[in-house]
Amino acid sequence: MSEPAATAVARKGLLIGVATGLYGISFGALAATAGLDVWQAVALSALLFSGGSQFALVGVLGAGGTGAAAVTTSAMLGLRNGFYGLQVSRLIQKRGLRRILAAHLTIDESTAVTIAQPNTRLARVGFWATGGAVFVFWNAMTAVGAVLGNAMGDPKAWGLDAAAAAAFIALLWPRLTTTRARLTALAAAAIALLTTPHAPPGTPILVAATAAVVAGLLPHGETVEDEGL
């Protein structure tokens, strides 16, 4: 493996970290308007460090949901990181404290860069560069967003009440690469919309997520044509 190849992978990880970190501004602002102070928002980003789960948690809290509903929703979305770990661990092969750190940095972006590399050495460079860059920029922008959120006042006046939903769509859309995935997403959205007027805040998300999980566990036989849609 040449050093230029490793440098290119590291540079890619850094750029992804910068781009992803910008989402942290929205999260920090939403966290502040949901009732968290700056330090709580920063701590949540540093300790949970899973964008989708974080948006879900503050979204439920901001809508008036209970802490149990917020944590459950966040946990369900965070389950995907466990499956990522199964793919990444065989490439990283770390033990002790570095294994714990690797687990914390196993997110969508670091996993995508890692498994895209042609060999183990580049996979490790990609993982640590991407995971580290996202962690630094995400947490830095969370702090900025939380400070701004406290200064902005009512989130509805700035459209921040819709930012969580917009962020979810932005994260989800590129992953809907099959007909089955698209139908599952539409069905889950319909379930959430139908149950929202009749259930406490946070519950519609749990119901929709449960339905999506069940749909994902059902046996299926996608065709080559489906994958190309």
Side-chain angles (χ1 to χ4, degrees):
M1 182 204 72
S2 64
E3 285 306 313
T7 301
V9 172
R11 185 183 299 113
K12 179 178 181 180
L14 176 61
L15 293 175
I16 290 175
V18 173
T20 304
L22 295 177
Y23 279 108
I25 296 179
S26 294
F27 170 73
L30 285 169
T33 55
L36 278 66
D37 62 31
V38 174
W39 291 111
Q40 288 172 328
V42 171
L44 184 59
S45 265
L47 298 175
L48 181 55
F49 189 49
S50 179
S53 297
Q54 292 176 223
F55 276 114
L57 191 149
V58 299
V60 173
L61 291 179
T66 65
V71 171
T72 303
T73 303
S74 176
M76 290 189 70
L77 286 171
L79 286 176
R80 70 190 189 285
N81 289 356
F83 294 103
Y84 293 160
L86 296 176
Q87 295 178 290
V88 171
S89 61
R90 61 184 178 82
L91 297 171
I92 303 304
Q93 297 180 344
K94 296 298 180 182
R95 298 185 180 279
L97 293 178
R98 293 197 70 179
R99 187 178 183 86
I100 295 174
L101 177 59
H104 195 55
L105 296 181
T106 300
I107 55 175
D108 296 325
E109 294 79 10
S110 61
T111 300
V113 174
T114 299
I115 63 177
Q117 303 311 314
N119 58 60
T120 301
R121 169 60 178 158
L122 287 179
R124 292 174 181 172
V125 172
F127 176 83
W128 292 110
T130 306
V134 173
F135 185 85
V136 170
F137 287 103
W138 177 264
N139 283 280
M141 293 300 100
T142 292
V144 172
V147 172
L148 292 176
N150 279 326
M152 285 178 178
D154 183 7
K156 293 182 180 180
W158 299 89
L160 288 177
D161 55 321
F168 270 128
I169 293 173
L171 290 170
L172 178 64
W173 186 258
R175 292 167 174 76
L176 302 181
T177 57
T178 67
T179 300
R180 179 186 176 90
R182 292 168 184 168
L183 291 176
T184 300
L186 288 173
I191 291 171
L193 287 173
L194 291 172
T195 55
T196 294
H198 313 290
T203 304
I205 298 177
L206 293 176
V207 175
T210 301
V213 170
V214 172
L217 293 175
L218 292 176
H220 60 92
E222 292 178 335
T223 64
V224 173
E225 287 76 15
D226 285 337
E227 292 294 340
L229 291 177

